[in-house]
Amino acid sequence: MLLNIIAPMKTIYGLFCMLVFLGSCAGTDKDSNSSKSGEDHTSNPETTESVTVYSHRHYDIDKEIFSAFEKETGIQVLVKEDKASKLIELISQKKDAADILITVDVARLNQAKNKNILQPIQSDYINSRVPSNFMDSDYMWFGLTKRYRVLAYSKERVNPVDIKNYTDLAQPKWKGKIAVRSSGNTYNQSLMASVIANSDQTKAETWAKSLVANFSRSPKGNDRDQVKEVAADRADIAIINTYYLGKLLNSENEQEVEAGKSVGLIFPNQENSGAHVNISGIGVCKYAPNKDNAIQLIEYLLSDKVQELYSAANYEYPIVKDIPICDLLQSWGSFREDTIALEEIGQLNTAALEVFARAGWE
Ligand code: FE
């Protein structure tokens, strides 16, 4: 019982120390610009340096990180948050609107590259921090964090040894038991792309048809909602990204905490291809007015302290190797991840959409 209390306290204390550390990185120069992160695009007349970030990330910790960057460098960070598809459209229309695009999955990074709104970046530091399978081969985009698409199973009703692979989700015994969001969601699209990459489109379609037959309901909601379906005994297995379990377990809503506690995680495909991994990633826009500042910000986001914070505050896995991860992620243990180049996953997005359409995955 005491251990149960100490573990979250340690996490909170560690997070507090890191936030203090981020704060201490900030200069004490009273004339330096205060944080302007957020939706505000109003320029500060005292500011000469800035970087404009168009981001699909919507996490509070990003604001803290941008604020610390501003204080450390004097470069103002202007942030516009929206869905990646919308941001890509905006950048396509007004080419010099943004310096940086940040997405929460690889499919949109590949889409941005194909729309010719990114530019190649050569940085020895970035190349030394991001493993080659998590960056574009033309250096158009780079991973910032990793998230695994895994199986959250009911601790009450499922024996985790009964399901080892994504393909097992198609077994008849799971009829009416699988909760997952819609095929319009890019996390699912990239998962399907990985299934295609590891077999072929025909086999992926056969799998998808059987999986659709096992759905507990028509796909709807976000990943957290799927876990709540399991907690409410309306499904036994939910397909989710890892960090959503961290968000549930650390929610201020007691029902969400209970939903999180009711499930365990299975990292699939441990005896073959490894668990499917996706990235939140970043690229410099082709007509970026502040390219040097953009590169400086990317390098900052790949620093040890920020990489550790992505894990401690948002339960994501660092993209940089050998960065300490938070207690919760440590508790999930080590596992094999799919080593396929994320670029290939992005390129198979259209093939994945075709499979969804033919399989009737709404
Ligand atoms: Fe997400």
Side-chain angles (χ1 to χ4, degrees), residues 221-240:
N222 57 31
D223 281 5
R224 269 173 278 209
D225 295 326
Q226 314 311 318
V227 175
K228 290 173 192 171
E229 287 295 291
V230 174
D233 198 3
R234 289 191 288 265
D236 281 353
I237 296 169
I239 304 175
I240 65 164

Side-chain angles (χ1 to χ4, degrees), residues 33 47 61 78 94 107 125 138 165 168 182-183 188 208 275 340 342:
N33 303 301
T47 303
I61 193 59
L78 304 164
K94 189 176 182 310
Y125 180 77
D138 295 322
N165 301 302
D168 297 338
S182 76
S183 60
N188 281 341
I340 193 164
L342 268 278

Side-chain angles (χ1 to χ4, degrees), residues 327-344:
D327 291 348
L328 178 65
L329 270 57
Q330 280 184 40
S331 76
W332 294 338
S334 57
F335 51 88
R336 177 187 290 187
E337 71 180 17
D338 197 340
T339 56
I340 193 164
L342 268 278
E343 182 174 20
E344 192 179 334

Side-chain angles (χ1 to χ4, degrees), residues 75-86:
I75 299 169
Q76 188 181 11
V77 183
L78 304 164
V79 184
K80 181 177 182 58
E81 288 182 7
D82 211 323
K83 290 186 168 180
S85 52
K86 172 87 183 204

Side-chain angles (χ1 to χ4, degrees), residues 190-298:
S190 291
L191 173 62
M192 185 61 76
S194 81
V195 172
I196 296 168
N198 284 312
S199 54
D200 60 50
Q201 204 171 352
T202 308
K203 283 181 186 151
E205 187 179 326
T206 305
W207 171 72
K209 280 177 178 162
S210 301
L211 176 51
V212 167
N214 286 346
F215 284 175
S216 61
R217 60 172 182 175
S218 295
K220 61 178 164 189
N222 57 31
D223 281 5
R224 269 173 278 209
D225 295 326
Q226 314 311 318
V227 175
K228 290 173 192 171
E229 287 295 291
V230 174
D233 198 3
R234 289 191 288 265
D236 281 353
I237 296 169
I239 304 175
I240 65 164
N241 280 359
T242 35
Y243 56 90
Y244 285 113
L245 183 54
K247 288 183 179 294
L248 284 171
L249 290 170
N250 291 279
S251 171
E252 287 171 3
N253 177 330
E254 193 53 38
Q255 281 183 328
E256 291 202 331
V257 176
E258 290 306 315
K261 283 180 179 171
S262 75
V263 298
L265 289 188
I266 295 168
F267 288 78
N269 290 39
Q270 293 306 287
E271 287 160 22
N272 42 71
S273 57
H276 167 60
V277 55
N278 202 340
I279 53 170
S280 178
I282 195 163
V284 176
C285 299
K286 187 171 185 180
Y287 299 100
N290 305 290
K291 180 181 172 183
D292 290 346
N293 295 346
I295 294 171
Q296 200 174 333
L297 178 57
I298 294 175

Side-chain angles (χ1 to χ4, degrees), residues 54 80 82 84-98 112 115-118 285-287:
Y54 275 28
K80 181 177 182 58
D82 211 323
S85 52
K86 172 87 183 204
L87 297 174
I88 290 168
E89 200 50 48
L90 289 173
I91 299 168
S92 301
Q93 285 165 8
K94 189 176 182 310
K95 300 199 180 321
D96 63 350
K115 286 218 165 190
N116 204 20
I117 61 164
L118 300 179
C285 299
K286 187 171 185 180
Y287 299 100

Side-chain angles (χ1 to χ4, degrees), residues 90-109:
L90 289 173
I91 299 168
S92 301
Q93 285 165 8
K94 189 176 182 310
K95 300 199 180 321
D96 63 350
D99 294 302
I100 279 178
L101 173 70
I102 298 179
T103 76
V104 293
D105 76 293
V106 70
R108 295 291 184 224
L109 291 169

